[in-house]
Amino acid sequence: MSEHAITRRSFLAGSAGAVGLAATAGYMGFGAWEQAHAAGGWRREVTTAHSLCNSCSSKCGFTGYVEDGRLTKMIGDVDHPYCEGTLCARGYGYASIAYSEDRLTDPLKKNDKGEFEAISWEQAYSEIAEKVKAIISSNGPEALAMVQDPRPSGSYYTKRFMQALGSANVYTHGAACNLSKNSGFTQAIGAGDYASDVANSKMTMFIGRSYADAIRPSSVHDLQRARENGAYIVLVDPRCNNTITLADEWVPINPGTDLALVLAMSNVLIKNGLYDKDFVAENGIGFDEWAAAIADHTPQWAEGITGIPASTIERLAVRFAECAPAASIEPSWRGAFGCSYANSGETARAICLFNTLLGCWNQKGGALFLPSVSAGEVDAEKFPAVPKPEGKILGSEEYPLALSSMGVNVILADKAREGAVKGLFFYNSNMAAGYANPDYLAESFSNLDLMVAIDVQMSETCMLADYVLPDTSYLERLELPEFVGGKVPAVTLRDRVIEKVHPNTKPVDEIFSELAEACGVGEYFQFTVDELADAQLRTVGLSLEGLRQAGGTARFPEKEYSYGAAVKWKTPTGKVQFTSEACEKAGLSPVPVWVDPQTKPAGGNQFRVIGGKQAIHTHTQTANIEPLMEITKKYNLERVWMNADKAAQLGIADGDEVEVSNEEHTGRVRVKVTQRINPEALYVPSHYGCTSPDQHTAYNVGLRQMDFVPFSIEPGYGGACTQEAIVTVKKAGA
Ligand SMILES: Nc1nc2c(c(=O)[nH]1)N[C@H]1C(S)=C(S)[C@@H](COP(=O)(O)OP(=O)(O)OC[C@H]3O[C@@H](n4cnc5c(=O)[nH]c(N)nc54)[C@H](O)[C@@H]3O)O[C@H]1N2
Ligand SMILES: Nc1nc2c(c(=O)[nH]1)N[C@H]1C(S)=C(S)[C@@H](COP(=O)(O)OP(=O)(O)OC[C@H]3O[C@@H](n4cnc5c(=O)[nH]c(N)nc54)[C@H](O)[C@@H]3O)O[C@H]1N2
Ligand code: SF4
Ligand SMILES: [Mo]
């Protein structure tokens, strides 16, 4: 096949080859299935195909078993770097989306009464294209923008479509996820992310990251290995999240104050000479300036802000020094500083500098830069390059530190209000419910001339749109290859597992190719997704058929990571930047120092709303999945969490209904009273409060965190400030 040895340890069960299955009525366990196979009692038709879960960004690989055309079983892919043979509950539950009664089945257009009517694809394409052309001729292509949740084909086709129209405005969900974090990291270390070698560490600190709730299977496995290896695991979180079962210590920090903790731990290392001086001297720039600036950021100072005793801060810092270089602060993802506060980007920057003090980069048990592979150049005649749009992505002037590969999606609300953006497309994105204050977004988008949402169910974003286009479910489409970084990088494939359930739905590649044709830029889309997938795979020595035969995941062992490699820092100075010119230009301190969050609860009945994932749901997209919502209902998972002492002061008991309110919103929900949460925080689980009546299972269950969040954007970095929200809580009816 290629010079790349493909190591596939998991079994290859008759890929794509049809085999029969015993026609026992009802459900048949896998053991019985195999027995029946051995006995030769086959009648039903079974096929298998490899695909990638679409329930969250991890896109775990699995083999789907299809009996008589219906998906009946999924087996996690042993070779997939994030999955390692295990799918999570969401992965199984979400697969039922294909058969959901709430699927979108036809293109829809909103009529004058605000109701949706089914129309033909031809009508949808031609009317959308007419509006696109009108916007371009009156306001230029920069008045068009796209928001998408990066998926293998989605990332490619949405960008190609927008660029073909001449617009650079392609945004991911990042500003409501990890934009500030990745942008802050980039200022310090020239890379948007790194990976902590948790399994081999002597100590790892998680700051607002929950491996046990916000699941990626390989991360959970790593933490289990860390436990077996005796690592000291610290959770810094206002809420004692479920990772505690695999951790040693919970540090119940005041929400929004992680920056103070990191600066104070850095202060301890510097003051006591406990940092890796050679590493800092060789790799850093601006260290002395930073050390001087944080000389007064002592543990005593931080205690007043974080609520963590100075002695704990001191102890943790010293233990870090003892464990270095097999120790690090884990890069986290979203919870604490992905996009939450006015100080999120600076928290990210400080964390990289703390890890630099430990000298742990690329050290066993430390913080690693793992390799990845990507597709090379494909045939320029068949797949012609689209000219780069002239303009820069909107928002890059106002938020110069934001990575342009993600963009500041929330700025589109203000651009729509100003009339600078007239047409918006959403692909696999529920911005209207999850990225910023929903009322503010709805009002902003009402100014648009054109709003198109491409989804599989009637999301809140679809409800606001002029046109809604029905995608196939992920199980019904082939997508472009997905390259995954890791100790041994890999390439993976989302393939067609089942036939279309609804004949009038279309896969993403067809939708954008046909839309491009209608808009007059079809020349850039004269190929099928199969052809492009094959061409991309050939640039890395594989082919579409070859990857299928290999079971859908191929690894690149010759690119395997090894410890100890010197890092080429991709910052403007080629160094770890303790000081950053770009930050200074953006109006921030050149070296990271303490920055207050925009808001703070004043005590009494005031709380800061914090979010957090639950292991059985993803963002807004799984609340409508019946088997997952059943678990919510069975265990009352929609309840908000309140500290037990605070609850007693306010006369609130476990299970009471409470009223949560601020200037943005008022809502009612039941409360879970617990000592597992900091008194300043009110935990509102992330997945509820659906306001789309067409999602029959999700509608009206629980509160939606974003309803309470005033619209605001983090200076410099562009994060959506999703936890700059203070509410008051009282017993309902009191
Ligand atoms: N089950 C599930 N898993 C997922 C996802 C999902 O939707 N559901 N989504 C995936 C995606 S896209 C992402 S981004 C990741 C997110 O992964 P995480 O960032 O780990 O997820 P969260 O649960 O949002 O946040 C983690 C923790 O941060 C805590 N936290 C909140 N505020 C603060 C604070 O101010 N300081 C500190 N120190 N902690 C704070 C919360 O209590 C929570 O326990 O999860 C991924 N995996
Ligand atoms: N309320 C709330 N807001 C959040 C979060 C949260 O947990 N709760 N999480 C935050 C984080 S960490 C992130 S990364 C972002 C994620 O934000 P998004 O990427 O927007 O994720 P979802 O909110 O799940 O919305 C995904 C939308 O895609 C649709 N969809 C699902 N499958 C397909 C498909 O195959 N094709 C198409 N076209 N559409 C599909 C779903 O129906 C849903 O409407 O949200 C952030 N905001
Ligand atoms: S972690 Fe779970 S939901 Fe996310 S891709 Fe993997 S199996 Fe799917
Ligand atoms: Mo995310």
Side-chain angles (χ1 to χ4, degrees), residues 54 57 94 97 148-151 173 176-178 334 427-431 433-435 454-457 459-460 469 471-474 477 479 613 618-622 686-688 695 704-706:
N54 197 45
S57 332
Y94 189 67
I97 186 73
Q148 48 105 21
D149 176 348
R151 292 299 189 247
H173 57 223
C177 177
N178 55 359
R334 178 195 195 234
Y427 177 71
N428 204 137
S429 156
N430 193 10
M431 178 164 181
Y435 298 5
I454 302 162
D455 208 299
V456 290
Q457 58 186 355
S459 67
E460 286 88 342
L469 305 180
D471 202 353
T472 59
S473 79
Y474 72 103
R477 60 183 186 249
E479 295 200 29
K613 311 295 187 202
T618 302
H619 316 311
T620 71
Q621 76 172 341
T622 58
S686 289
H687 313 290
Y688 306 111
Q695 294 191 28
R704 184 164 62 191
Q705 181 195 347
M706 295 313 298

Short mmCIF file of all heavy atoms in Angstrom, two decimals, residues 54 57 94 97 148-151 173 176-178 334 427-431 433-435 454-457 459-460 469 471-474 477 479 613 618-622 686-688 695 704-706, ligand 2:
data_model
loop_
_atom_site.label_atom_id
_atom_site.label_comp_id
_atom_site.label_asym_id
_atom_site.label_seq_id
_atom_site.Cartn_x
_atom_site.Cartn_y
_atom_site.Cartn_z
N ASN A 54 -19.68 11.90 15.68
CA ASN A 54 -19.85 13.34 15.47
C ASN A 54 -20.44 14.01 16.71
O ASN A 54 -20.90 15.13 16.66
CB ASN A 54 -20.78 13.60 14.27
CG ASN A 54 -20.67 15.03 13.75
OD1 ASN A 54 -19.57 15.54 13.60
ND2 ASN A 54 -21.79 15.67 13.48
N SER A 57 -15.90 17.03 19.51
CA SER A 57 -14.71 17.35 18.71
C SER A 57 -13.69 16.22 18.67
O SER A 57 -12.79 16.25 17.83
CB SER A 57 -14.01 18.58 19.26
OG SER A 57 -14.91 19.43 19.90
N TYR A 94 -25.69 9.23 20.69
CA TYR A 94 -25.87 10.20 19.61
C TYR A 94 -26.11 9.54 18.26
O TYR A 94 -26.71 10.14 17.36
CB TYR A 94 -24.66 11.15 19.55
CG TYR A 94 -24.93 12.28 18.59
CD1 TYR A 94 -25.93 13.22 18.89
CD2 TYR A 94 -24.26 12.39 17.39
CE1 TYR A 94 -26.23 14.22 18.00
CE2 TYR A 94 -24.56 13.39 16.49
CZ TYR A 94 -25.54 14.31 16.80
OH TYR A 94 -25.86 15.30 15.92
N ILE A 97 -29.34 9.78 16.33
CA ILE A 97 -29.76 10.98 15.60
C ILE A 97 -30.23 10.62 14.20
O ILE A 97 -31.17 11.23 13.67
CB ILE A 97 -28.63 12.04 15.54
CG1 ILE A 97 -29.10 13.35 14.90
CG2 ILE A 97 -27.42 11.55 14.75
CD1 ILE A 97 -30.00 14.18 15.75
N GLN A 148 -18.93 27.73 11.75
CA GLN A 148 -18.98 26.27 11.65
C GLN A 148 -18.21 25.64 12.81
O GLN A 148 -17.28 26.22 13.33
CB GLN A 148 -18.38 25.81 10.31
CG GLN A 148 -17.04 26.44 9.97
CD GLN A 148 -15.84 25.52 10.14
OE1 GLN A 148 -15.97 24.32 10.15
NE2 GLN A 148 -14.66 26.10 10.29
N ASP A 149 -18.69 24.47 13.17
CA ASP A 149 -18.00 23.67 14.18
C ASP A 149 -17.09 22.74 13.40
O ASP A 149 -17.56 21.89 12.65
CB ASP A 149 -19.05 22.88 14.96
CG ASP A 149 -18.46 21.94 15.98
OD1 ASP A 149 -17.24 21.71 15.94
OD2 ASP A 149 -19.21 21.43 16.81
N PRO A 150 -15.77 22.91 13.51
CA PRO A 150 -14.87 22.20 12.59
C PRO A 150 -15.10 20.68 12.55
O PRO A 150 -14.95 20.01 13.54
CB PRO A 150 -13.48 22.52 13.12
CG PRO A 150 -13.63 23.48 14.21
CD PRO A 150 -15.07 23.67 14.52
N ARG A 151 -15.49 20.23 11.43
CA ARG A 151 -15.69 18.81 11.15
C ARG A 151 -14.89 18.51 9.90
O ARG A 151 -14.59 19.43 9.13
CB ARG A 151 -17.19 18.54 10.89
CG ARG A 151 -18.06 18.74 12.14
CD ARG A 151 -17.65 17.79 13.22
NE ARG A 151 -18.52 17.72 14.38
CZ ARG A 151 -18.16 18.13 15.59
NH1 ARG A 151 -17.02 18.74 15.79
NH2 ARG A 151 -18.96 17.95 16.62
N HIS A 173 -16.41 27.68 16.29
CA HIS A 173 -17.10 27.97 17.55
C HIS A 173 -16.12 28.50 18.61
O HIS A 173 -16.52 28.80 19.73
CB HIS A 173 -17.81 26.73 18.08
CG HIS A 173 -16.88 25.56 18.26
ND1 HIS A 173 -17.20 24.27 17.89
CD2 HIS A 173 -15.63 25.47 18.76
CE1 HIS A 173 -16.20 23.46 18.18
NE2 HIS A 173 -15.23 24.18 18.70
N ALA A 176 -16.39 30.67 21.82
CA ALA A 176 -17.18 30.15 22.92
C ALA A 176 -16.59 28.83 23.43
O ALA A 176 -17.24 28.08 24.14
CB ALA A 176 -18.62 29.92 22.47
N CYS A 177 -15.36 28.56 23.05
CA CYS A 177 -14.70 27.32 23.51
C CYS A 177 -13.29 27.63 23.98
O CYS A 177 -13.07 27.93 25.15
CB CYS A 177 -14.73 26.27 22.40
SG CYS A 177 -13.87 24.74 22.83
N ASN A 178 -12.32 27.58 23.07
CA ASN A 178 -10.93 27.66 23.51
C ASN A 178 -10.13 28.76 22.83
O ASN A 178 -8.91 28.71 22.81
CB ASN A 178 -10.24 26.31 23.30
CG ASN A 178 -10.37 25.84 21.85
OD1 ASN A 178 -11.00 26.51 21.03
ND2 ASN A 178 -9.79 24.70 21.54
N ARG A 334 -11.65 24.22 28.04
CA ARG A 334 -12.54 25.38 27.99
C ARG A 334 -12.89 25.95 29.35
O ARG A 334 -12.89 27.16 29.54
CB ARG A 334 -13.84 25.01 27.29
CG ARG A 334 -14.81 26.17 27.26
CD ARG A 334 -16.21 25.71 26.91
NE ARG A 334 -17.05 26.81 26.55
CZ ARG A 334 -18.22 27.06 27.13
NH1 ARG A 334 -18.65 26.30 28.10
NH2 ARG A 334 -18.96 28.06 26.72
N TYR A 427 -22.98 26.27 9.68
CA TYR A 427 -22.90 24.84 9.39
C TYR A 427 -22.53 24.09 10.67
O TYR A 427 -21.49 24.35 11.28
CB TYR A 427 -21.85 24.53 8.30
CG TYR A 427 -21.75 23.03 8.09
CD1 TYR A 427 -22.80 22.35 7.47
CD2 TYR A 427 -20.69 22.30 8.62
CE1 TYR A 427 -22.78 20.97 7.36
CE2 TYR A 427 -20.67 20.91 8.51
CZ TYR A 427 -21.71 20.25 7.88
OH TYR A 427 -21.70 18.89 7.79
N ASN A 428 -23.39 23.15 11.07
CA ASN A 428 -23.13 22.33 12.26
C ASN A 428 -22.81 23.21 13.48
O ASN A 428 -21.94 22.90 14.28
CB ASN A 428 -21.96 21.36 11.98
CG ASN A 428 -21.95 20.11 12.86
OD1 ASN A 428 -21.72 19.00 12.40
ND2 ASN A 428 -22.20 20.28 14.13
N SER A 429 -23.51 24.32 13.57
CA SER A 429 -23.24 25.27 14.66
C SER A 429 -24.56 25.74 15.24
O SER A 429 -25.47 26.12 14.50
CB SER A 429 -22.49 26.48 14.10
OG SER A 429 -22.71 27.61 14.93
N ASN A 430 -24.65 25.73 16.57
CA ASN A 430 -25.83 26.30 17.21
C ASN A 430 -25.45 27.55 17.97
O ASN A 430 -25.65 27.65 19.18
CB ASN A 430 -26.51 25.26 18.11
CG ASN A 430 -27.90 25.71 18.53
OD1 ASN A 430 -28.43 26.69 18.00
ND2 ASN A 430 -28.48 25.01 19.48
N MET A 431 -24.91 28.50 17.24
CA MET A 431 -24.44 29.75 17.85
C MET A 431 -25.53 30.43 18.67
O MET A 431 -25.26 30.94 19.76
CB MET A 431 -23.96 30.69 16.75
CG MET A 431 -23.51 32.05 17.28
SD MET A 431 -22.53 32.93 16.06
CE MET A 431 -22.13 34.43 16.96
N ALA A 433 -27.77 29.51 20.56
CA ALA A 433 -28.04 29.04 21.92
C ALA A 433 -26.80 28.95 22.78
O ALA A 433 -26.90 28.89 23.99
CB ALA A 433 -28.69 27.65 21.86
N GLY A 434 -25.61 28.94 22.14
CA GLY A 434 -24.44 28.57 22.93
C GLY A 434 -23.24 29.49 22.92
O GLY A 434 -22.30 29.26 23.66
N TYR A 435 -23.23 30.55 22.09
CA TYR A 435 -21.96 31.29 22.00
C TYR A 435 -21.99 32.61 22.77
O TYR A 435 -20.95 33.17 23.09
CB TYR A 435 -21.62 31.60 20.53
CG TYR A 435 -21.39 30.41 19.65
CD1 TYR A 435 -21.59 29.10 20.09
CD2 TYR A 435 -20.96 30.57 18.34
CE1 TYR A 435 -21.39 28.02 19.27
CE2 TYR A 435 -20.76 29.49 17.50
CZ TYR A 435 -20.99 28.21 17.97
OH TYR A 435 -20.80 27.14 17.14
N ILE A 454 -27.49 25.16 8.28
CA ILE A 454 -27.45 23.78 7.77
C ILE A 454 -27.29 22.87 8.98
O ILE A 454 -26.30 22.98 9.71
CB ILE A 454 -26.29 23.61 6.78
CG1 ILE A 454 -26.46 24.61 5.63
CG2 ILE A 454 -26.22 22.17 6.27
CD1 ILE A 454 -25.21 24.86 4.83
N ASP A 455 -28.26 22.02 9.20
CA ASP A 455 -28.29 21.26 10.46
C ASP A 455 -29.00 19.94 10.20
O ASP A 455 -29.45 19.66 9.08
CB ASP A 455 -29.02 22.09 11.54
CG ASP A 455 -28.54 21.76 12.94
OD1 ASP A 455 -28.70 20.58 13.35
OD2 ASP A 455 -28.02 22.65 13.63
N VAL A 456 -29.13 19.15 11.27
CA VAL A 456 -29.89 17.90 11.17
C VAL A 456 -31.18 17.95 11.98
O VAL A 456 -32.04 17.08 11.85
CB VAL A 456 -29.04 16.69 11.62
CG1 VAL A 456 -27.94 16.39 10.62
CG2 VAL A 456 -28.46 16.91 13.02
N GLN A 457 -31.29 18.96 12.85
CA GLN A 457 -32.53 19.12 13.63
C GLN A 457 -32.80 20.61 13.80
O GLN A 457 -31.91 21.43 13.54
CB GLN A 457 -32.41 18.43 14.99
CG GLN A 457 -31.25 18.95 15.84
CD GLN A 457 -31.05 18.18 17.14
OE1 GLN A 457 -31.82 17.31 17.49
NE2 GLN A 457 -29.98 18.51 17.87
N SER A 459 -32.50 23.49 15.36
CA SER A 459 -31.79 24.14 16.46
C SER A 459 -32.33 25.54 16.66
O SER A 459 -33.10 26.05 15.83
CB SER A 459 -30.30 24.22 16.12
OG SER A 459 -30.12 25.13 15.04
N GLU A 460 -31.91 26.19 17.73
CA GLU A 460 -32.30 27.58 17.97
C GLU A 460 -31.76 28.47 16.85
O GLU A 460 -32.39 29.47 16.49
CB GLU A 460 -31.78 28.07 19.32
CG GLU A 460 -32.54 27.50 20.52
CD GLU A 460 -32.00 26.16 21.02
OE1 GLU A 460 -31.26 25.49 20.27
OE2 GLU A 460 -32.33 25.78 22.16
N LEU A 469 -31.28 24.21 5.70
CA LEU A 469 -30.97 23.13 4.77
C LEU A 469 -30.64 21.86 5.54
O LEU A 469 -29.85 21.89 6.49
CB LEU A 469 -29.80 23.53 3.87
CG LEU A 469 -29.97 24.83 3.08
CD1 LEU A 469 -28.74 25.12 2.23
CD2 LEU A 469 -31.23 24.77 2.20
N ASP A 471 -28.88 18.60 6.37
CA ASP A 471 -27.70 17.78 6.13
C ASP A 471 -28.09 16.31 6.33
O ASP A 471 -29.07 16.01 7.02
CB ASP A 471 -26.63 18.16 7.18
CG ASP A 471 -25.22 17.80 6.76
OD1 ASP A 471 -25.04 17.13 5.72
OD2 ASP A 471 -24.29 18.19 7.49
N THR A 472 -27.32 15.40 5.76
CA THR A 472 -27.46 14.00 6.17
C THR A 472 -26.91 13.89 7.59
O THR A 472 -26.20 14.79 8.05
CB THR A 472 -26.62 13.08 5.28
OG1 THR A 472 -25.25 13.49 5.41
CG2 THR A 472 -27.05 13.12 3.84
N SER A 473 -27.21 12.83 8.29
CA SER A 473 -26.53 12.62 9.57
C SER A 473 -25.12 12.13 9.24
O SER A 473 -24.84 11.69 8.12
CB SER A 473 -27.26 11.58 10.41
OG SER A 473 -26.95 10.28 9.95
N TYR A 474 -24.23 12.20 10.23
CA TYR A 474 -22.83 11.83 9.99
C TYR A 474 -22.70 10.36 9.56
O TYR A 474 -21.72 9.99 8.92
CB TYR A 474 -21.97 12.11 11.23
CG TYR A 474 -22.21 11.17 12.40
CD1 TYR A 474 -21.32 10.15 12.69
CD2 TYR A 474 -23.35 11.30 13.19
CE1 TYR A 474 -21.55 9.28 13.75
CE2 TYR A 474 -23.57 10.45 14.25
CZ TYR A 474 -22.67 9.43 14.53
OH TYR A 474 -22.90 8.58 15.57
N ARG A 477 -22.70 9.78 5.49
CA ARG A 477 -21.84 10.46 4.52
C ARG A 477 -20.37 10.10 4.68
O ARG A 477 -19.88 9.86 5.79
CB ARG A 477 -22.01 11.98 4.60
CG ARG A 477 -21.67 12.57 5.94
CD ARG A 477 -21.93 14.08 5.98
NE ARG A 477 -21.46 14.64 7.24
CZ ARG A 477 -22.27 15.13 8.19
NH1 ARG A 477 -23.56 15.14 8.03
NH2 ARG A 477 -21.76 15.61 9.30
N GLU A 479 -16.66 11.65 4.57
CA GLU A 479 -16.06 12.98 4.68
C GLU A 479 -14.59 12.91 4.31
O GLU A 479 -14.03 11.82 4.10
CB GLU A 479 -16.26 13.54 6.09
CG GLU A 479 -17.73 13.80 6.40
CD GLU A 479 -17.97 14.77 7.54
OE1 GLU A 479 -17.12 15.66 7.77
OE2 GLU A 479 -19.01 14.63 8.21
N LYS A 613 -19.44 20.46 31.74
CA LYS A 613 -20.05 19.37 30.97
C LYS A 613 -20.53 18.26 31.89
O LYS A 613 -20.01 18.08 32.99
CB LYS A 613 -19.03 18.76 30.01
CG LYS A 613 -18.26 19.74 29.16
CD LYS A 613 -19.12 20.49 28.20
CE LYS A 613 -18.29 21.33 27.25
NZ LYS A 613 -19.05 22.43 26.66
N THR A 618 -23.45 16.49 25.07
CA THR A 618 -22.53 17.38 24.38
C THR A 618 -23.21 18.70 24.08
O THR A 618 -24.26 18.71 23.41
CB THR A 618 -22.09 16.77 23.04
OG1 THR A 618 -21.48 15.51 23.28
CG2 THR A 618 -21.06 17.67 22.35
N HIS A 619 -22.62 19.79 24.55
CA HIS A 619 -23.11 21.13 24.23
C HIS A 619 -24.64 21.15 24.20
O HIS A 619 -25.28 20.61 25.09
CB HIS A 619 -22.56 21.62 22.88
CG HIS A 619 -21.11 21.35 22.68
ND1 HIS A 619 -20.17 21.66 23.62
CD2 HIS A 619 -20.43 20.79 21.65
CE1 HIS A 619 -18.98 21.31 23.17
NE2 HIS A 619 -19.11 20.77 21.99
N THR A 620 -25.17 21.73 23.10
CA THR A 620 -26.63 21.79 22.98
C THR A 620 -27.19 20.65 22.13
O THR A 620 -28.38 20.55 21.92
CB THR A 620 -27.07 23.12 22.31
OG1 THR A 620 -26.71 23.09 20.93
CG2 THR A 620 -26.41 24.32 22.96
N GLN A 621 -26.29 19.80 21.60
CA GLN A 621 -26.78 18.93 20.52
C GLN A 621 -27.30 17.56 20.95
O GLN A 621 -27.86 16.85 20.12
CB GLN A 621 -25.74 18.77 19.43
CG GLN A 621 -24.61 17.86 19.76
CD GLN A 621 -23.70 17.61 18.56
OE1 GLN A 621 -24.10 17.82 17.42
NE2 GLN A 621 -22.50 17.16 18.82
N THR A 622 -27.16 17.19 22.22
CA THR A 622 -27.62 15.84 22.59
C THR A 622 -28.83 15.86 23.52
O THR A 622 -29.36 14.79 23.86
CB THR A 622 -26.52 15.04 23.31
OG1 THR A 622 -26.11 15.79 24.46
CG2 THR A 622 -25.34 14.78 22.40
N SER A 686 -24.27 22.43 31.48
CA SER A 686 -24.14 23.13 30.19
C SER A 686 -25.17 22.76 29.12
O SER A 686 -25.18 23.41 28.08
CB SER A 686 -22.75 22.83 29.59
OG SER A 686 -21.77 23.49 30.32
N HIS A 687 -25.96 21.75 29.33
CA HIS A 687 -26.60 21.16 28.15
C HIS A 687 -28.10 21.38 28.02
O HIS A 687 -28.72 20.81 27.14
CB HIS A 687 -26.31 19.66 28.15
CG HIS A 687 -24.87 19.37 28.40
ND1 HIS A 687 -23.89 19.66 27.49
CD2 HIS A 687 -24.22 18.88 29.49
CE1 HIS A 687 -22.70 19.34 27.98
NE2 HIS A 687 -22.87 18.87 29.20
N TYR A 688 -28.66 22.22 28.89
CA TYR A 688 -30.12 22.27 28.95
C TYR A 688 -30.68 23.63 28.56
O TYR A 688 -29.96 24.52 28.13
CB TYR A 688 -30.58 21.85 30.36
CG TYR A 688 -30.00 20.51 30.74
CD1 TYR A 688 -29.03 20.39 31.73
CD2 TYR A 688 -30.38 19.35 30.04
CE1 TYR A 688 -28.47 19.15 32.05
CE2 TYR A 688 -29.82 18.12 30.36
CZ TYR A 688 -28.87 18.02 31.36
OH TYR A 688 -28.33 16.81 31.67
N GLN A 695 -37.66 20.31 19.01
CA GLN A 695 -36.84 19.27 19.64
C GLN A 695 -37.65 18.75 20.82
O GLN A 695 -37.56 19.24 21.93
CB GLN A 695 -35.49 19.85 20.09
CG GLN A 695 -34.63 20.29 18.92
CD GLN A 695 -33.20 20.60 19.34
OE1 GLN A 695 -32.68 20.06 20.31
NE2 GLN A 695 -32.55 21.47 18.59
N ARG A 704 -30.69 27.43 30.64
CA ARG A 704 -29.62 27.60 29.67
C ARG A 704 -28.65 28.65 30.21
O ARG A 704 -29.01 29.80 30.40
CB ARG A 704 -30.21 28.04 28.34
CG ARG A 704 -29.20 28.17 27.23
CD ARG A 704 -29.86 28.23 25.89
NE ARG A 704 -30.74 29.39 25.77
CZ ARG A 704 -31.60 29.58 24.77
NH1 ARG A 704 -31.71 28.66 23.82
NH2 ARG A 704 -32.35 30.65 24.71
N GLN A 705 -27.44 28.22 30.43
CA GLN A 705 -26.43 29.09 31.03
C GLN A 705 -26.32 30.43 30.30
O GLN A 705 -26.28 31.49 30.92
CB GLN A 705 -25.09 28.34 31.00
CG GLN A 705 -23.93 29.09 31.62
CD GLN A 705 -22.59 28.47 31.22
OE1 GLN A 705 -22.54 27.36 30.68
NE2 GLN A 705 -21.51 29.16 31.48
N MET A 706 -26.28 30.38 28.97
CA MET A 706 -26.01 31.60 28.22
C MET A 706 -27.10 32.66 28.37
O MET A 706 -26.85 33.82 28.14
CB MET A 706 -25.80 31.29 26.73
CG MET A 706 -24.58 30.45 26.40
SD MET A 706 -23.06 30.95 27.22
CE MET A 706 -22.82 32.59 26.55
N1 LIG B 2 -25.29 26.08 26.13
C1 LIG B 2 -24.06 25.68 25.83
N2 LIG B 2 -23.27 26.46 25.08
C2 LIG B 2 -22.03 26.05 24.76
C3 LIG B 2 -21.49 24.83 25.24
C4 LIG B 2 -22.33 24.04 26.05
O1 LIG B 2 -21.93 22.95 26.51
N3 LIG B 2 -23.59 24.48 26.32
N4 LIG B 2 -20.23 24.44 24.90
C5 LIG B 2 -19.30 25.41 24.34
C6 LIG B 2 -18.24 24.69 23.63
S1 LIG B 2 -17.02 23.95 24.55
C7 LIG B 2 -18.23 24.56 22.30
S2 LIG B 2 -16.96 23.72 21.53
C8 LIG B 2 -19.31 25.13 21.49
C9 LIG B 2 -19.87 24.11 20.51
O2 LIG B 2 -20.81 24.77 19.76
P1 LIG B 2 -21.42 24.07 18.50
O3 LIG B 2 -20.30 23.57 17.70
O4 LIG B 2 -22.33 25.02 17.87
O5 LIG B 2 -22.13 22.78 19.16
P2 LIG B 2 -23.64 22.49 19.54
O6 LIG B 2 -24.19 23.53 20.46
O7 LIG B 2 -23.71 21.10 19.99
O8 LIG B 2 -24.43 22.65 18.19
C10 LIG B 2 -24.10 21.83 17.11
C11 LIG B 2 -25.22 21.95 16.09
O9 LIG B 2 -24.87 21.12 15.00
C12 LIG B 2 -25.96 20.28 14.71
N5 LIG B 2 -25.47 19.05 14.11
C13 LIG B 2 -25.19 17.89 14.69
N6 LIG B 2 -24.78 16.98 13.80
C14 LIG B 2 -24.78 17.61 12.59
C15 LIG B 2 -24.46 17.19 11.28
O10 LIG B 2 -24.09 16.06 11.01
N7 LIG B 2 -24.56 18.14 10.30
C16 LIG B 2 -24.97 19.41 10.55
N8 LIG B 2 -25.03 20.26 9.55
N9 LIG B 2 -25.31 19.80 11.79
C17 LIG B 2 -25.22 18.91 12.79
C18 LIG B 2 -26.68 20.09 16.01
O11 LIG B 2 -28.02 19.71 15.76
C19 LIG B 2 -26.55 21.47 16.64
O12 LIG B 2 -27.57 22.33 16.25
O13 LIG B 2 -20.40 25.59 22.27
C20 LIG B 2 -20.03 26.36 23.39
N10 LIG B 2 -21.26 26.84 23.96
#
